[in-house]
Amino acid sequence: MEAEKSVDLPVIVAIDGPAASGKSSVARRLAADLGFLHVNTGAMYRAFTWQVLQNGIDPRDTDAVSALLETTQFGLDVGGDTAVILINGVDPGGALQEAVVAANVSTIAANPDVRSRLVAEQRALGEARSVVMEGRDIGTVVFPATPHKFFIDARPEIRQARREAQGLVDSIHDRDRQDTSRKADPLRPAEGAEIIDTSDHDLEAVLAIVKERLAAQGLPF
Ligand code: DC
């Protein structure tokens, strides 16, 4: 009788949290250390927001936004450590961090059509390969079954200061309010997520906490 072949299923590490909580730095380093792909789902919402604005569409015009969504292709360049989001084959690059994109992304992210499309794209990615995926709803909606969930937080004034130190214009308070109060998949810690407040910790300290938990869950560190 043939020995049963073991199949290595992709591993999903879900990292959620509010804007400027430090989750991107954690996710990027963790992915590099594990040899997994880093996927920043906020960049997907930002890329589509950029596309909406490029087309002169009002982000609040849900019909026009949904129509544009139907003709938009999302692609990924996975050549590097971090997946680069392509919109109809184009990398919006630095435009993703522009103030006008930051000011409108929460409106686009509250649109249920946009969410269901992007969630489907994100699931397809995680089914294909092991990923560290960061966002707002990865542990609650995109991959609720993964045991590897973290919620990275920091005090609002610390998060606002971090954005300003990056030289970016971003109203953390407004985005927090919109991201936590929207009807579709609001930001909240997933059941079973380890909540880490990074206000008084540096990146290495946060990574140590995350790795300790993943090691206890059987991931190699
Ligand atoms: O992580 P970020 O600041 O780049 O995310 C930009 C916006 O996208 C954020 O204000 C809320 C939205 N977002 C979301 O609704 N769901 C995700 N999984 C990721 C981001």
Side-chain angles (χ1 to χ4, degrees):
M1 204 170 76
E2 208 182 301
E4 209 176 297
K5 290 197 184 85
S6 77
V7 180
D8 283 337
L9 290 174
V11 174
I12 312 288
V13 181
I15 304 210
D16 290 305
S21 58
K23 63 184 185 307
S24 288
S25 307
V26 173
R28 203 174 304 114
R29 265 287 299 278
L30 192 64
D33 292 355
L34 278 163
F36 291 3
L37 181 69
H38 168 227
V39 181
N40 177 351
T41 61
M44 299 172 89
Y45 288 93
R46 284 173 183 263
F48 185 59
T49 301
W50 172 79
Q51 173 77 345
V52 167
L53 298 171
Q54 287 284 105
N55 281 268
I57 294 171
D58 180 341
R60 291 164 303 182
D61 182 346
T62 48
D63 289 345
V65 168
S66 298
L68 181 67
L69 187 65
E70 287 193 11
T71 61
T72 300
Q73 281 177 344
F74 292 88
L76 276 188
D77 178 351
V78 293
D81 296 339
T82 294
V84 174
I85 316 299
L86 304 175
I87 286 272
N88 294 335
V90 176
D91 168 14
L96 297 186
Q97 302 306 327
E98 281 174 2
V100 65
V101 170
N104 285 288
V105 66
S106 288
T107 302
I108 292 296
N111 179 318
D113 286 348
V114 175
R115 297 208 73 79
S116 61
R117 171 77 184 277
L118 289 188
V119 166
E121 303 274 350
Q122 291 152 15
R123 285 190 181 139
L125 265 172
E127 274 153 21
R129 56 186 293 180
S130 294
V131 294
V132 176
M133 195 173 281
E134 61 164 296
R136 300 291 189 290
D137 60 343
I138 311 306
T140 51
V141 175
V142 184
F143 291 110
T146 183
H148 314 300
K149 300 182 191 186
F150 298 88
F151 191 86
I152 309 288
D153 207 351
R155 294 191 294 275
E157 66 276 17
I158 300 248
R159 294 188 286 114
Q160 186 70 54
R162 284 179 184 164
R163 269 294 186 271
E164 284 165 15
Q166 290 172 315
L168 299 172
V169 179
D170 189 357
S171 175
I172 296 294
H173 174 76
D174 290 347
R175 286 211 289 139
D176 279 358
R177 191 175 37 74
Q178 290 189 61
D179 295 344
T180 53
S181 65
R182 71 181 179 220
K183 282 204 194 78
D185 314 336
L187 172 68
R188 60 183 170 80
E191 219 178 292
E194 176 157 356
I195 299 176
I196 306 173
D197 189 317
T198 68
S199 303
D200 304 312
H201 293 307
D202 66 11
L203 175 59
E204 298 305 325
V206 177
L207 273 170
I209 298 170
V210 169
K211 288 179 175 180
E212 194 180 331
R213 180 169 211 225
L214 292 178
Q217 291 178 323
L219 292 196
F221 276 110

